[in-house]
């Protein structure tokens, strides 16, 4: 036995990596263990300043809190000045930081990082106006911005090395005259883009994407235009829209998707985006771009807004089934608003179309199932027109009574099935 602990005998880079799993305050405390540990934490490749580091931020505690917060800022500068190793990951995620520090002090911290060749940067500060240098980090591959504000309503990301970009709860300056804020992404290496809750609820935001290596895209918010210019590798798309701009533009120009989504396999839609789909089907846009959707294997239609027609999910589902020749899995969350039994006759005619056939549909899942006349007719149609169907999973809404569930299950067991192996599974 040497008398040394096993952790101290590990290579320095391994110890530094282990310390990155600790809150920064705890990692710094290891300096008291021995002279060998005195500066190890200053070589960590990752620095995370979060609420665990800045626990004293408290805007209502008066002078005592202000003094403590000034000390916190000095500690941040102290750590950065003493840090000697290559810094690859930096996170400043203290949402209430502006309650104690002016923006220019925070900007000094961010500005001091531009020449550190940081690969991963995360900024989460409520209402902080981002400095222009946020777009000039060389070598940055992973960027996450939360709760901040942009200086301009025209936000352009054109980094050549950016791989993962996540934007959440970001604000843009108000503009008048009916003009739209614009987010453009021209990033040749970008593989994943998430954009959630950016802009005000009623802001009109245009999103234009040109990213030849993009594989994952998730957008949720009040955007009024979504354009894919060049995304040949995009496989997974999640779209949720908070508000409808159909009335302002007549209908959503789905032709903007043309040539931009040739490889999408997983498509998830929700919110007022249904309004665009409905008008798109009505005007024939989706049907004219039918080849665009042929790669889709999984389609998820989430809960509809209360103002959307109750049969919208059926209309969209069947229309996509008709134009998506490789659709393998269909998942539908029917939602709370379908508790009534009103059915549009046109919807029933669409459901009962004897010419419909979906030869590759293999799995179906119905969530929040209410067993209304419309729901039951849709299940009957799926069973009758899907010769490759293997499993249909029904998840009843908590609002449906046991008696109603039993009667609807009994009825579904009697439906004709095109597939001899089709099984219906009930989740109570």
């Amino acid at each position: 036995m040497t008398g040394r602990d096993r952790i101290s005998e590990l290579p320095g880079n391994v110890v530094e990596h282990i310390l990155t799993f600790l809150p920064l305050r705890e990692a710094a405390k290891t300096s008291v263990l021995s002279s060998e540990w005195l500066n190890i934490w200053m070589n960590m490749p990752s620095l995370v300043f979060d609420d665990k580091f800045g626990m004293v931020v408290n805007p209502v505690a008066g002078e005592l809190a202000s003094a403590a917060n000034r000390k916190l800022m000095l500690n941040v500068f102290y750590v950065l000045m003493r840090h000697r190793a290559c810094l690859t990951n930096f996170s400043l995620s203290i949402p209430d930081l502006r309650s104690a520090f002016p923006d220019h002090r925070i900007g000094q911290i961010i500005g001091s990082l531009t020449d550190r060749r940081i690969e991963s940067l995360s900024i989460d500060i409520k209402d902080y106006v981002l400095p222009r240098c946020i777009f000039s980090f060389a070598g940055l591959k992973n960027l996450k911005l939360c709760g901040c504000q942009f200086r301009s309503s025209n936000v352009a990301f054109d980094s050549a090395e950016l791989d993962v970009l996540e934007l959440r709860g970001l604000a843009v300056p108000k503009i008048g005259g009916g003009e739209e804020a614009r987010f453009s992404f021209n990033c040749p290496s970008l593989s994943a883009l998430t954009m959630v809750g950016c802009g005000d609820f009623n802001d009109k935001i245009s999103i234009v994407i040109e990213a030849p290596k993009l594989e994952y895209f998730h957008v949720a918010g009040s955007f009024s235009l979504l354009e894919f210019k060049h995304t040949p590798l995009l496989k997974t798309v999640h779209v949720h829209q908070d508000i409808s701009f159909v009335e302002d533009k007549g209908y959503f120009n789905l032709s903007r998707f043309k040539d931009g989504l040739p490889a999408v396999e997983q498509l998830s839609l929700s919110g007022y985006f249904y309004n665009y789909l409905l008008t798109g089907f009505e005007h024939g846009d989706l049907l004219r771009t039918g080849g665009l959707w042929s790669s889709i294997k999984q389609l998820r239609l989430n809960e509809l807004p209360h103002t959307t027609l109750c049969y919208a999910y059926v209309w969209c589902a069947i229309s996509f089934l008709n134009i998506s020749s490789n659709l393998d899995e269909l998942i539908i969350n029917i939602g709370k608003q379908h508790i009534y039994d009103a059915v549009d006759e046109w919807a029933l005619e669409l459901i009962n179309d004897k010419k419909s056939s979906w030869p590759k549909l293999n799995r179906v899942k119905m969530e929040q199932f209410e067993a209304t006349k419309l729901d039951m007719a849709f299940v009957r149609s799926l069973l009758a027109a899907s010769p490759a169907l293997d499993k249909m999973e029904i998840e009843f809404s908590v609002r449906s009574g046991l008696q109603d569930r039993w009667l609807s299950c009994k009825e579904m067991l009697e439906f004709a099935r095109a597939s001899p192996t089709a099984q219906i599974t009930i989740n109570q």
Side-chain angles (χ1 to χ4, degrees):
M1 296 290 291
T2 63
R4 289 170 53 86
D5 63 274
R6 296 178 64 182
I7 294 181
S8 296
E9 293 178 346
L10 294 172
N13 63 324
V14 175
V15 176
E16 293 159 11
H17 180 69
I18 292 174
L19 290 183
T20 61
F21 293 96
L22 295 176
L24 188 54
R25 280 178 175 268
E26 302 303 318
K29 289 178 181 179
T30 62
S31 62
V32 303
L33 295 177
S34 69
S35 58
E36 294 181 1
W37 283 81
L38 183 61
N39 295 317
I40 288 181
W41 72 277
M42 295 182 185
N43 294 324
M44 294 191 306
S46 175
L47 292 179
V48 177
F49 298 96
D50 55 14
D51 285 331
K52 294 178 181 178
F53 180 87
M55 292 180 291
V56 294
V57 174
N58 184 357
V60 299
E63 295 182 2
L64 182 61
S66 297
N69 288 331
R70 284 194 294 272
K71 183 178 180 180
L72 166 65
M73 178 59 81
L74 291 174
N75 287 339
V76 173
F77 277 109
Y78 173 80
V79 171
L80 286 174
M81 290 177 61
R82 295 291 302 274
H83 191 271
R84 300 177 302 184
C86 177
L87 184 59
T88 59
N89 174 50
F90 181 86
S91 176
L92 186 59
S93 301
I94 306 177
D96 293 328
L97 192 60
R98 291 185 70 248
S99 64
F101 308 114
D103 285 2
H104 74 276
R105 292 297 184 190
I106 303 173
Q108 288 176 343
I109 295 176
I110 298 175
S112 69
L113 303 170
T114 54
D115 59 351
R116 300 289 294 265
R117 298 295 298 183
I118 291 176
E119 295 182 2
S120 180
L121 176 65
S122 177
I123 306 294
D124 183 357
I125 306 174
K126 185 179 180 182
D127 298 329
Y128 170 62
V129 180
L130 291 163
R132 291 182 176 86
C133 67
I134 202 72
F135 297 98
S136 59
F137 277 78
L140 190 64
K141 295 181 179 180
N142 191 327
L143 176 61
K144 180 178 181 180
L145 302 174
C146 300
C148 307
Q149 298 183 30
F150 288 105
R151 295 178 180 272
S152 170
S153 58
N154 189 352
V155 182
F157 290 90
D158 55 5
S159 169
E161 298 172 287
L162 196 61
D163 178 42
V164 178
L165 177 60
E166 184 174 348
L167 309 175
R168 293 184 180 272
L170 301 178
V172 293
K174 294 292 182 182
I175 52 179
E179 296 183 17
E180 297 184 349
R182 178 184 173 92
F183 282 80
S184 59
F185 306 90
N186 185 2
C187 305
S189 299
L190 191 65
S191 66
L193 172 59
T194 299
M195 186 176 174
V196 176
C198 295
D200 185 75
F201 184 76
N202 291 312
D203 282 344
K204 292 182 179 179
I205 295 178
S206 295
I207 303 172
V208 180
I209 304 171
E210 187 169 359
K213 293 186 178 180
L214 190 67
E215 296 183 3
Y216 175 90
F217 176 61
H218 178 192
V219 61
S222 58
F223 60 91
S224 56
L225 173 67
L226 181 59
E227 181 174 357
F228 296 91
K229 279 191 172 180
H230 183 50
T231 54
L233 302 181
L234 187 56
K235 289 182 172 59
T236 302
V237 176
H238 302 279
V239 179
H240 173 85
Q241 194 157 26
D242 291 336
I243 191 170
S244 175
F245 294 102
V246 169
E247 295 78 8
D248 297 331
K249 289 199 168 187
Y251 64 93
F252 188 65
N253 187 1
L254 286 166
S255 64
R256 290 184 181 272
F257 284 2
K258 192 173 183 181
D259 301 326
L261 302 174
V264 170
E265 296 181 357
Q266 293 180 305
L267 180 63
S268 175
L269 306 173
S270 61
Y272 285 94
F273 198 74
Y274 282 103
N275 290 12
Y276 289 136
L277 292 175
L278 291 175
T279 51
F281 283 124
E282 183 179 349
H283 289 80
D285 275 12
L286 273 177
L287 298 179
R288 284 194 295 270
T289 59
L292 161 69
W293 313 99
S294 61
S295 61
I296 297 178
K297 295 181 179 179
Q298 183 193 81
L299 174 66
R300 182 179 182 99
L301 301 177
N302 293 310
E303 187 172 341
L304 283 71
H306 289 275
T307 58
T308 301
L309 297 173
C310 67
Y311 56 84
Y313 83 92
V314 170
W315 191 355
C316 291
I318 291 182
S319 297
F320 269 108
L321 282 166
N322 288 338
I323 63 176
S324 305
S325 56
N326 290 305
L327 190 62
D328 172 78
E329 183 175 10
L330 175 65
I331 304 171
I332 297 177
N333 187 312
I334 297 174
K336 300 177 182 178
Q337 67 276 18
H338 303 293
I339 59 176
Y340 45 88
D341 215 24
V343 180
D344 185 274
E345 292 302 320
W346 183 91
L348 283 179
E349 182 179 342
L350 179 66
I351 289 174
N352 295 323
D353 184 3
K354 303 301 183 183
K355 298 179 182 178
S356 296
S357 178
W358 308 305
K360 293 191 177 182
L361 186 61
N362 183 257
R363 295 181 299 279
V364 174
K365 183 175 183 180
M366 306 282 286
E367 301 172 347
Q368 299 288 327
F369 194 74
E370 296 282 357
T372 64
K373 184 178 180 181
L374 177 64
D375 299 338
M376 296 296 286
F378 186 44
V379 168
R380 181 190 297 110
S381 176
L382 289 172
L383 289 170
S386 307
L389 188 64
D390 181 63
K391 182 178 181 180
M392 176 177 286
E393 186 175 349
I394 305 293
E395 185 178 290
F396 278 95
S397 165
V398 294
R399 296 176 301 277
S400 57
L402 291 177
Q403 178 72 8
D404 293 335
R405 295 184 189 188
W406 185 85
L407 291 175
S408 58
C409 288
K410 181 180 179 181
E411 183 178 353
M412 281 188 285
L413 289 174
E414 297 175 356
F415 289 164
R417 308 180 193 187
S419 170
T421 61
Q423 299 292 322
I424 301 177
T425 301
I426 307 297
N427 293 332
Q428 299 296 329

